């Protein structure tokens, strides 16, 4: 219950952030724009209405993959480090809260903030789909929204975990956004270099299993796999026409990877925060 008390207070404080409001507006605009572009592309191929909802949702996945991590890390990186810098953390721990209650409360409160942002953005996207397409399968859209909230929870755990390991919001921000750059750009570059070293060339006729498994490990790819699992689609086979894929690249395994990306950084942050001298 102590975590819930911390979460409620943190949710109220975080919702006042102007940066968060601005990012939510940007997210809503991107989903509305994605709805329009997806509906135009769908009409070109003769599809439309509720039958094309899966295609439309897969198109909305792209802006969500970029903006949800940014929103979650903006909300999460200062959760603990900011309290330590301002000195309010000692006051908070002076109340009957254990350190783990504070960290878990921060995760719950900030996940609720990110969920509100996602729900607002996707509500705008849903209105856009109705306006541009005219018919959408609501159950499929709800599943997509829930998986995206889970994706935001993962990045909140990463942000709060990093925030728990450092005294400085600057260091926490560098760590959080350095991680985004690593996943978005360096992960693929490292994969290409490994492909060159192990297979002898950058462009191979068929990708080896280890390379497909490597590409599936990031939170962003795991998010795509999880969406594929609930929608009955496999993003990897859709893109590459590969029939047999390794276990790690199976759509359902995306949920396993998302769980690991949430629990490992948060667990490390809790261990560090429990032992540090404030």
């Amino acid at each position: 219950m102590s975590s819930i008390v911390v979460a409620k207070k943190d949710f109220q404080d975080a919702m006042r952030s102007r940066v968060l409001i601005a990012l939510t507006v940007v997210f809503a605009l991107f989903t509305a724009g994605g709805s329009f572009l997806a509906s135009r592309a769908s009409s070109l191929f003769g599809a439309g209405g509720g039958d094309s909802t899966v295609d439309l949702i897969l198109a909305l996945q792209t802006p969500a993959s970029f903006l949800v991590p940014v929103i979650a890390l903006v909300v999460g990186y200062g959760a603990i480090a900011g309290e330590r810098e301002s000195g309010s953390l000692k006051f908070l721990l002076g109340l009957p809260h254990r350190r783990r209650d504070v960290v878990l409360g921060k995760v719950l409160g900030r996940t609720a903030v990110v969920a509100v942002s996602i729900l607002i953005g996707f509500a705008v996207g849903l209105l856009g789909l109705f306006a541009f397409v005219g018919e959408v399968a609501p159950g499929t859209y709800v599943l997509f929204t829930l998986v995206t909230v889970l994706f935001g929870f993962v990045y909140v755990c990463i942000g709060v975990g990093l925030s728990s390991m450092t005294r400085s919001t600057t260091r926490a921000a560098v760590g959080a956004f350095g991680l985004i750059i690593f996943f978005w750009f360096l992960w693929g570059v490292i994969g290409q270099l490994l492909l060159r070293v192990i297979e002898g060339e950058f462009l191979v006729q068929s990708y080896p299993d280890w390379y497909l498994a490597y590409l599936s490990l990031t939170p962003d790819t795991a998010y795509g796999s999880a969406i594929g699992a609930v929608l009955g689609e496999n993003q990897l086979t859709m893109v590459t026409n590969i029939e047999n894929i390794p276990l790690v690249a199976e759509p359902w395994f995306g949920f396993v990877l998302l769980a690991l990306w949430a629990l490992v950084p948060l667990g490390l942050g809790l261990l560090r925060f429990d032992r540090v001298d404030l």
Side-chain angles (χ1 to χ4, degrees):
M1 291 300 292
S2 189
S3 298
I4 301 299
V5 173
V6 175
K8 286 182 178 177
K9 176 67 167 57
D10 201 59
F11 176 79
Q12 293 169 349
D13 293 341
M15 285 299 290
R16 300 191 187 100
S17 169
R18 293 182 179 178
V19 175
L20 175 65
I21 294 173
L23 286 172
T24 301
V25 171
V26 171
F27 185 47
L29 292 175
F30 265 89
T31 54
S35 301
F36 174 75
L37 293 176
S39 65
R40 296 301 94 184
S42 178
S43 63
L44 289 176
F45 294 99
D51 293 338
S52 64
T53 298
V54 172
D55 295 332
L56 298 171
I57 285 176
L58 291 177
L60 289 180
Q61 178 189 337
T62 300
S65 297
F66 282 98
L67 288 173
V68 169
V70 173
I71 293 172
L73 289 178
V74 165
V75 169
Y77 81 86
I80 303 296
E83 299 266 11
R84 291 177 72 176
E85 275 189 342
S86 67
S88 58
L89 185 60
K90 290 184 178 179
F91 172 77
L92 186 59
L93 290 173
L95 300 173
H97 302 309
R98 295 173 298 177
R99 294 191 181 192
R100 68 182 60 183
D101 295 328
V102 172
V103 173
L104 295 179
K106 294 287 184 183
V107 169
L108 293 175
R110 310 243 164 172
T111 298
V113 172
V114 173
V116 169
S117 179
I118 291 171
L119 292 176
I120 292 174
F122 279 3
V124 173
L126 183 61
L127 292 176
L129 289 176
F130 276 118
F132 302 133
V133 181
E135 183 183 355
V136 179
T140 304
Y141 196 81
V142 169
L143 289 175
F144 171 54
T145 302
L146 292 176
V147 175
T148 305
V149 171
L150 173 64
F151 183 50
F153 166 73
V154 170
Y155 267 99
V156 168
C157 288
I158 292 174
V160 174
L162 289 171
S163 189
S164 303
M165 298 180 200
T166 178
R167 297 174 181 273
S168 164
T169 52
T170 302
R171 291 180 182 176
V174 170
F177 292 100
L179 201 61
I180 282 187
I181 293 173
F182 178 73
F183 286 143
W184 285 357
F185 303 107
L186 295 183
W187 192 274
V189 172
I190 292 172
Q192 284 292 308
L193 293 175
L194 289 174
L195 200 62
R196 176 68 177 83
V197 171
I198 297 174
E199 304 296 331
E201 54 187 341
F202 288 114
L203 298 175
V204 296
Q205 289 188 339
S206 62
Y207 290 110
D209 285 352
W210 70 262
Y211 183 72
L212 298 176
Y214 172 85
L215 292 181
S216 303
L217 292 178
T218 66
D220 307 66
T221 309
Y223 166 57
S225 296
I227 288 176
V230 298
L231 299 183
E233 300 283 347
N234 187 327
Q235 62 173 357
L236 193 58
T237 54
M238 287 174 64
V239 173
T240 62
N241 292 322
I242 298 173
E243 295 183 357
N244 298 317
I245 58 176
L247 175 67
V248 179
E250 290 283 352
W252 66 268
F253 205 85
F255 287 104
V256 178
L257 293 172
L258 288 176
L260 291 174
W261 278 114
L263 295 178
V264 172
L266 186 60
L268 293 175
L270 273 170
L271 286 175
R272 173 64 179 163
F273 189 57
D274 264 340
R275 297 175 181 178
V276 72
D277 182 11
L278 299 177

